[in-house]
Amino acid sequence: MKFLSAGKSDKGVSRQNNEDNFCVDEDLRLFIVADGMGGAAAGEVASRMAVEIIRDYIKRSSALGGAGNEPFVGGYDKKFSEASNRIASGIRLANQAIYEASQSNVKWRGMGTTVAAALLDGSKMSIAHAGDSRIYLIRTSSIIQLTDDHSIVSEQVKSGLLTKEEAEGSEVRNIITRALGTTLSMDIDIDEIDLMDGDRVVLCSDGLTTMVSDNVILSTVAASDEPGSACGALIDIANKNGGKDNITVALVYLFEDRTFLKKIKNLFR
Ligand code: CA
C-alpha cells in the first residue's frame, strides 16, 4: 500500500504556548500526536520527549536504524504483531523517561502527555494510545473513532451516566485519566487495523475534536486529495470555531493508485 502523509500543529487563538508535538516520519512509517500538560513549559517538554523517544526507539529497532534486536519494554503480547509490540514498547519507554524526568526536576513535577501513535506495516496499521488524543479511520463516507478517550467523561458515557451530548458540554471534559509521565508503569491500548485502498487515518489532539465535529472532520479530509492542505483546512476551521486549545493533526492517505484519491474527492464536491 502506498501513502501520502502530512502533519501540522498550531497554538490556536487563546493559548500563549503550543504544548502539542507530532511526528510524521515517512521512512519509519510512524505517525504520532502528543498533547502535553503541566505548568510553565513542562507540557511542551513532556510531549516533545514522548515524540522523540518513541521515534528513536522505532528507528533503533527497525531495519532503517539498527539491527532490529532492541529489547521490548514491558514484555511482548503475543495477541499482537511485532510492529504493535514495538509501538507499545516505545510508548512505555517514553513514559518511564518522562516520569523519571518529572521526579528529578522540580520545574517538571507533574508534567505529562497524551500520545496517539500509528505504525504502518504493509497494509496493516498498528495503533496505540493513552489519554484523549484520538485516531480516526475515514473509509468511503464514514468516520470511525478507533481510540477510546481515557477521560472522566468518556468513562461516564461508557457506563451510561452521561450522554455523548452531555459529555461535550461537561466542565470536566478536559480531565484525562491516563497520561504518560504520571506513573512509572501504565497500560497502553493497542489495536491493529487492516487498511483498504482509499482509507484515510487522522491523528489529532483534543484541540481539534473539541472545536470541530466528526462530520466536519470527515467532509474536510474527504474533500482534499492532498493531506497537507487538509491539515491546514482543519486547523483553520478549529480556529474559526474558537481555537481554545493547541490544535495538532496528522493525516495518512492510503492508496494503491493515486487516481483513486481524485475519485473520492470528486464524490465530495
Ligand atoms: Ca489539548
Side-chain angles (χ1 to χ4, degrees), residues 15 20 35 205-207 245-246:
R15 296 279 171 97
D20 288 358
D35 175 351
S205 63
D206 69 333
D245 195 2
N246 308 141

Side-chain angles (χ1 to χ4, degrees), residues 84 87-88 91 115-119 126-130 135 147 188-191:
S84 299
I87 194 86
I91 294 173
V115 71
L119 184 62
S126 298
I127 64 168
H129 85 291
I135 304 177
T147 51
I188 311 292
D189 286 6
I190 307 172
D191 204 355

Side-chain angles (χ1 to χ4, degrees), residues 220-231:
T220 308
V221 171
S224 173
D225 59 0
E226 207 285 301
S229 58
C231 285

Side-chain angles (χ1 to χ4, degrees), residues 137-144 198-200 214-215 218-219 222 264 267-268:
L137 173 66
I138 292 178
R139 177 167 288 169
T140 55
S141 58
S142 63
I143 181 163
I144 306 151
D199 279 353
R200 292 164 186 215
D214 289 4
N215 277 335
L218 165 64
S219 59
I264 298 174
L267 284 176
F268 281 85

Side-chain angles (χ1 to χ4, degrees), residues 162-181:
L162 281 184
T163 65
K164 212 170 166 235
E165 292 67 33
E166 286 167 338
E168 280 166 12
S170 167
E171 282 177 8
V172 296
R173 189 178 66 187
N174 296 326
I175 301 178
I176 60 172
T177 50
R178 236 189 269 184
L180 274 69

Side-chain angles (χ1 to χ4, degrees), residues 182-238:
T182 51
T183 50
L184 188 55
S185 77
M186 67 182 307
D187 287 336
I188 311 292
D189 286 6
I190 307 172
D191 204 355
E192 295 171 348
I193 292 82
D194 288 311
L195 293 166
M196 291 167 54
D197 195 5
D199 279 353
R200 292 164 186 215
V201 178
V202 182
L203 295 89
C204 59
S205 63
D206 69 333
L208 180 76
T209 52
T210 53
M211 293 287 126
V212 184
S213 70
D214 289 4
N215 277 335
V216 172
I217 295 173
L218 165 64
S219 59
T220 308
V221 171
S224 173
D225 59 0
E226 207 285 301
S229 58
C231 285
L234 287 170
I235 286 173
D236 287 348
I237 297 166

